[in-house]
Amino acid sequence: MAVPRSIRILGVLSVGLFLYLLTLIFRAPALVTRPATTGRLQEMTRDPNLDLTGEPEGPLYRSDEYAANNPNAPRINATLLALVRNEELDGMLQSMTELEKTWNHKFNYPWTFFNDVEFSAEFKRRTQAATNAVCNYHVIPREHWDFPSWINKDLYEESAQLLKEQDVQYWDNPSYHQMCRWNSGMFYRHPALKNVRWYWRVEPKVHFFCDVDYDVFRWMEDHNKTYGFTINIYDSPPSIPTLWPETEKFLASHPEYLHPNNAMDWLTDASRPDHHAQAHGYSTCHFWSNFEIGDMDFWRGQAYEDYFNHLDRAGGFFYERWGDAPVHSIALGLFADASKIHWFRDIGYNHIPFINCPNSPKCRGCTAGKSYDGEAFLQKEDCRATYFRIIGTG
């Protein structure tokens, strides 16, 4: 007796489905033992830091005239900037020593230190001894640091428990939330920086690997750049679930602030679908802002001021854990000319666990092309492939 044609077709489909499921089962262990990199990362078949790296295109200002006591030195209106506590002195000295050795001993730009309490005499004495440049020490005004009046403390406590359940780092540290808010939209408002335009942010316990022999601030100004970065990574979606929806609300009210040459495609890229979905449309790619060289006039501009104030009122710096890195990056991606954002590929830098290490005879202590120090899964946190594909390596 012949088997009906419909039954034969069903049998073939069943066998095909069985073989497909079998393939998935045997592929599963690879996904468990080693997290896969994204498709975009796989497109970057060779790390640009493996190529020989030189200085950016000139003109470049050298150190001949930059003595600390020269009133006519060609230094521009800039400072090295650090938010740091007294108890972080040793880590700050490490960072200072390395940046002074590789760059600032040639140019003697001032250091500006901020704290939410008075700096100790020891902190002042030892940091000033680490540089020939002028050091300035300032306390953050309480109105720039304390919880804003519109933050509901009960809701903050409830939100902190939700962050804990999602394993969000620093969920229980109020000062971390305060720090992120200050770095996002308060630092440039400090009276001590009123007449300062350029800054280089430096944190404790970071490393600088490469000799830099030109005035970085002057290069930024001469080339009309807005912002410089070294590391470009993904953020943790559970820490910022409503950041992009709030950004979309702001853009709907202020479409005039969107720059024609924006980086929207970088901000909304879906190379990591899980991140894109959890962050409600945001790729979570950002410049890691523990290193940033920037023009404070951008933050002082109307577009960013209005954007920050919108975010601040939304409460996500406290009810979630919005960081200054994604906030700055989103603003730059939307309101700045993307051609004015610069990758400082020639500045070797490390903030655990990520690294920018160029292939240059001026670098020591890092491996060219190595972008992380730790387990291999950290590679998938690198967002440079997406950025370079969409924006470029300039």
Side-chain angles (χ1 to χ4, degrees):
M1 178 177 172
V3 178
R5 182 171 179 270
S6 59
I7 300 298
R8 293 200 306 272
I9 292 174
L10 182 61
V12 170
L13 290 175
S14 299
V15 171
L17 179 61
F18 173 78
L19 292 174
Y20 173 73
L21 292 174
L22 197 62
T23 300
L24 291 180
I25 291 170
F26 282 102
R27 283 175 56 188
L31 295 176
V32 172
T33 57
R34 183 175 59 83
T37 59
T38 68
R40 300 304 184 198
L41 271 177
Q42 291 169 358
E43 290 176 9
M44 193 171 77
T45 57
R46 176 181 172 83
D47 193 309
N49 272 332
L50 291 172
D51 299 330
L52 190 63
T53 298
E55 296 176 329
E57 293 183 3
L60 302 175
Y61 284 79
R62 304 299 182 178
S63 59
D64 298 346
E65 305 280 331
Y66 282 82
N69 59 358
N70 179 6
N72 299 315
R75 279 183 291 274
I76 64 170
N77 191 12
T79 190
L80 298 164
L81 186 153
L83 173 63
V84 57
R85 298 187 183 280
N86 288 309
E87 55 268 30
E88 296 175 303
L89 174 58
D90 289 341
M92 194 71 238
L93 287 171
Q94 172 199 292
S95 302
M96 284 187 73
T97 299
E98 294 189 17
L99 187 52
E100 286 288 329
K101 180 180 178 181
T102 56
W103 183 71
N104 199 45
H105 81 277
K106 307 159 199 170
F107 300 98
N108 293 294
Y109 274 96
W111 287 84
T112 304
F113 298 99
F114 292 100
N115 195 348
D116 65 319
V117 299
E118 291 284 350
F119 282 105
S120 67
E122 181 188 12
F123 187 99
K124 295 178 180 180
R125 174 178 57 81
R126 293 180 65 188
T127 49
Q128 183 61 81
T131 178
N132 290 324
V134 173
C135 289
N136 304 294
Y137 306 89
H138 301 283
V139 176
I140 299 169
R142 297 316 311 176
E143 62 269 22
H144 288 182
W145 188 259
D146 290 344
F147 278 48
S149 60
W150 56 86
I151 297 300
N152 183 301
K153 290 296 182 67
D154 292 335
L155 182 56
Y156 167 74
E157 295 293 341
E158 293 173 10
S159 300
Q161 290 303 312
L162 292 176
L163 295 176
K164 177 184 179 181
E165 292 170 8
Q166 296 178 77
D167 201 27
V168 173
Q169 197 173 19
Y170 308 119
W171 64 272
D172 60 344
N173 188 343
S175 67
Y176 192 88
H177 294 262
Q178 292 167 297
M179 176 197 71
C180 290
R181 177 176 180 258
W182 188 82
N183 278 325
S184 292
M186 291 293 168
F187 77 95
Y188 55 86
R189 306 183 194 204
H190 195 286
L193 297 176
K194 180 179 180 181
N195 298 314
V196 180
R197 179 178 176 186
W198 300 94
Y199 72 101
W200 181 335
R201 179 171 160 184
V202 184
E203 292 200 353
K205 294 184 179 180
V206 299
H207 295 286
F208 297 93
F209 301 114
C210 308
D211 291 325
V212 180
D213 298 320
Y214 62 95
D215 184 341
V216 170
F217 291 125
R218 190 67 181 263
W219 186 88
M220 290 281 288
E221 183 177 68
D222 288 349
H223 291 79
N224 197 25
K225 298 294 184 181
T226 299
Y227 188 86
F229 72 96
T230 54
I231 293 170
N232 186 329
I233 56 176
Y234 289 93
D235 206 350
S236 168
S239 68
I240 51 170
T242 66
L243 177 57
W244 188 251
E246 285 297 334
T247 299
E248 291 181 314
K249 289 180 189 177
F250 178 79
L251 284 177
S253 299
H254 294 284
E256 71 277 11
Y257 289 151
L258 188 64
H259 195 282
N261 188 33
N262 61 68
M264 178 72 82
D265 289 346
W266 172 61
L267 296 174
T268 58
D269 181 81
S271 295
R272 292 185 74 172
D274 54 335
H275 278 228
H276 188 267
Q278 291 178 58
H280 302 287
Y282 172 36
S283 66
T284 76
C285 288
H286 64 279
F287 308 120
W288 215 21
S289 58
N290 46 71
F291 174 107
E292 56 183 11
I293 299 174
D295 181 354
M296 281 187 276
D297 282 355
F298 176 79
W299 310 126
R300 292 167 177 145
Q302 196 63 53
Y304 186 74
E305 277 286 285
D306 288 349
Y307 177 60
F308 172 76
N309 289 335
H310 174 90
L311 296 182
D312 201 22
R313 283 285 175 175
F317 290 108
F318 298 97
Y319 301 142
E320 297 177 13
R321 204 215 63 194
W322 295 353
D324 50 279
V327 169
H328 278 187
S329 301
I330 289 173
L332 288 159
L334 297 176
F335 313 136
D337 183 338
S339 70
K340 295 182 180 180
I341 299 173
H342 179 67
W343 175 38
F344 276 105
R345 63 189 302 166
D346 58 317
I347 298 181
Y349 177 74
N350 167 231
H351 183 299
I352 294 173
F354 298 106
I355 305 169
N356 185 68
C357 185
N359 179 6
S360 170
K362 293 186 176 185
C363 300
R364 299 166 300 278
C366 65
T367 302
K370 185 175 182 179
S371 61
Y372 61 93
D373 185 13
E375 297 297 326
F377 71 84
L378 288 170
Q379 182 182 0
K380 71 185 176 70
E381 303 306 324
D382 189 349
C383 190
R384 290 176 306 154
T386 299
Y387 187 83
F388 294 157
R389 173 177 57 83
I390 295 171
I391 307 300
T393 59

